Amino acid sequence: MTERIVLDYNNMLAERIGEHGISSASIDTAATRFSAVHADTQQRRDSGELGFLQLPYEHDVVEQIRSFADGVGQAFDTVVVLGIGGSALGMSALLQALRPPRWNELDDEAREYFPKLYVLDNVDPVTVGALLDRLDLRRTLFNVISKSGATAETMAQYLVVRDRLQRELDEEGVRGHLIFTTDPEKGVLRRIAAAEQISTLPVPPAVGGRFSVLSAVGLLPAALVGIDVAALLAGAADMIERCGTSDLRANPAALFAVLQYLAQTEKGAPMHVMMPYSDQLAGLSDWYCQLWAESLGKRKDRAGRDVFRGPTPVSALGATDQHSQVQLYMEGPFDKTITFLAVKQLDSDVAVPRLHEDIEDIAYLGGATLGSLLTAELHATAAALSRNGRMNMRIEVPRVDAHAIGQLLMMLQIATVYAGGFYDVNPLDQPGVELGKQLTYGLMGRSGFEEQKTDAPDPRWISA
Ligand code: PA5
């Protein structure tokens, strides 16, 4: 039997940490409200609005992905993903969690002849130029990922890459080095692909960018580097089943959402820190931050009234950030929750040798392992936070494997939809980023956006 992930929320409760914790009575009230949120989620799922809940069952797409990855995909030494936001963060999280550390530094044999994988999610010319200059383009596949096919950053990267490919390869060669992951019908990428017979995979219309990690967006690059996509989806499906209950205390996604919501609305804690004690899970915390922020930070409620709601997610890493942010968490304002991501069984461990046994200050470390130190630091930080009356909880994965990561990704996505229900905002849209996009189009001279041209930045603040 596959092991489940565990949510330990004792340290969120007033009975454990005192006045700054959440009362059982508040959770009981939220449990009653959750019945309606759960029913609404079910109804939105049935109407096809929550496409991400369907992804674990899209067996034909998984077959398409597998056949591309096992066939054409194996002809390349390197895969480069061009995408941004929801079209990049999930993939980066999967790579970091489910492939050995420093994947791109390993030799072919250590990578079992799977390709290297780079995710280019920014348009910083220094980074993009440096990577492209270094690659052997004849041995590189570019997976251009954009659901809309209109995102300026991704499309600019595509134009740069295409030009470089055209300088090295004939028309047929260029086609063979590109695969687009995009809307099945609409958008520029779809048009180009149709006109030039470029391979494509679909992003289902009802799956938004930040909910797309388990679609072809995340699964194709994952399959190309040998990640077990079937196990990922099986883990996600298990979590969907587990969250089928409207009993709040038996539904981990609901508990996570409700505790964060109550922390903000009843205990004045709008800052939600995600702190894995595992380098492998650091990318997952960045992915969560985008999911939580872009989904829940909204001006309007679902009735269209101005409400300006939303929590602020923060990414931290244990034990590294104990020497950076934790001082603030311990003694700063009572405005945060800390969610630890813990790993029950690490992939490997490193023994600490017994050296300098005459030096008391370090002798106690001899005979331990780095893993036991990391775990001790997590427990110590959680206990210290609790003693200081700071809300914290722990999500524990049995180990960092595809099944557990599938569970975790799905739990946090479902939690985001439930949280949208409690905050009474639409978690699936992102109207707030539109204006910035339009002003960029204006500045870059896109036709039709002339009115959106802003003035150049006023430099007064830097002059003496
Ligand atoms: O979550 C989202 O919807 C966004 O972060 C998008 O993923 C991001 O803006 C990229 O969009 P696209 O995939 O259309 O290029």
Side-chain angles (χ1 to χ4, degrees), residues 81-84 120-125 128-129 132 142 144-146 148-165 167 178 180 188-189 192 440-441 444 446:
V81 167
L82 309 181
I84 196 164
L120 271 186
D121 64 347
N122 202 354
V123 283
D124 186 326
V128 175
L132 296 180
F142 291 91
V144 188
I145 307 181
S146 175
S148 61
T151 303
E153 294 89 343
T154 307
M155 298 316 288
Q157 288 177 346
Y158 161 68
L159 295 172
V160 170
V161 161
R162 173 127 196 177
D163 176 56
R164 293 201 183 205
L165 286 172
R167 281 193 255 147
L178 292 168
F180 297 164
V188 175
L189 284 177
I192 298 171
T440 304
Y441 295 150
M444 294 300 288
R446 178 170 169 182

Side-chain angles (χ1 to χ4, degrees), residues 36-67:
V37 170
H38 188 266
D40 180 54
T41 306
Q42 192 53 48
Q43 190 261 317
R44 294 176 92 185
R45 181 184 181 181
D46 294 344
S47 71
E49 228 183 301
L50 302 176
F52 73 95
L53 290 170
Q54 199 43 42
L55 296 173
Y57 317 105
E58 301 281 350
H59 301 297
D60 49 336
V61 178
V62 175
E63 258 331 294
Q64 247 180 297
I65 289 168
R66 277 224 188 107
S67 89

Side-chain angles (χ1 to χ4, degrees), residues 48-249:
E49 228 183 301
L50 302 176
F52 73 95
L53 290 170
Q54 199 43 42
L55 296 173
Y57 317 105
E58 301 281 350
H59 301 297
D60 49 336
V61 178
V62 175
E63 258 331 294
Q64 247 180 297
I65 289 168
R66 277 224 188 107
S67 89
F68 184 88
D70 295 345
V72 180
Q74 293 312 309
F76 299 96
D77 297 338
T78 305
V79 175
V80 180
V81 167
L82 309 181
I84 196 164
S87 292
L89 285 159
M91 179 54 237
S92 297
L94 291 179
L95 178 69
Q96 199 172 351
L98 298 175
R99 293 287 69 190
R102 304 187 195 284
W103 177 250
N104 292 333
E105 291 171 27
L106 301 178
D107 64 22
D108 292 347
E109 201 180 331
R111 292 198 322 277
E112 295 173 46
Y113 298 93
F114 289 113
K116 295 178 184 172
L117 176 64
Y118 296 95
V119 182
L120 271 186
D121 64 347
N122 202 354
V123 283
D124 186 326
V126 178
T127 322
V128 175
L131 178 68
L132 296 180
D133 287 347
R134 220 172 54 218
L135 293 176
D136 177 358
L137 296 186
R138 292 175 176 273
R139 310 282 311 150
T140 304
L141 175 71
F142 291 91
N143 182 196
V144 188
I145 307 181
S146 175
K147 182 178 179 197
S148 61
T151 303
E153 294 89 343
T154 307
M155 298 316 288
Q157 288 177 346
Y158 161 68
L159 295 172
V160 170
V161 161
R162 173 127 196 177
D163 176 56
R164 293 201 183 205
L165 286 172
Q166 283 176 187
R167 281 193 255 147
E168 288 217 17
L169 302 163
D170 62 16
E171 218 176 282
E172 171 101 35
V174 172
R175 264 206 300 276
H177 285 251
L178 292 168
I179 176 161
F180 297 164
T181 307
T182 191
D183 186 278
E185 281 166 18
K186 297 189 302 229
V188 175
L189 284 177
R190 180 59 56 188
R191 283 213 302 276
I192 298 171
E196 301 187 27
Q197 286 92 48
I198 291 172
S199 304
T200 62
L201 282 165
V203 189
V207 176
R210 56 195 175 275
F211 292 91
S212 69
V213 58
L214 297 175
S215 74
V217 169
L219 296 187
L220 173 64
L224 284 166
V225 294
I227 290 172
D228 184 350
V229 298
L232 258 177
L233 295 178
D238 284 356
M239 183 53 71
I240 292 175
E241 197 180 319
R242 206 171 157 191
C243 296
T245 176
S246 59
D247 173 359
L248 176 74
R249 288 185 168 84

Side-chain angles (χ1 to χ4, degrees), residues 365-395:
L365 294 168
T369 66
L370 293 185
S372 66
L373 176 59
L374 193 61
T375 304
E377 299 213 47
L378 189 164
H379 291 310
T381 305
L385 283 167
S386 307
R387 277 193 210 180
N388 280 338
R390 311 290 163 150
M391 287 180 281
N392 64 93
M393 58 183 148
R394 185 172 54 96
I395 300 174

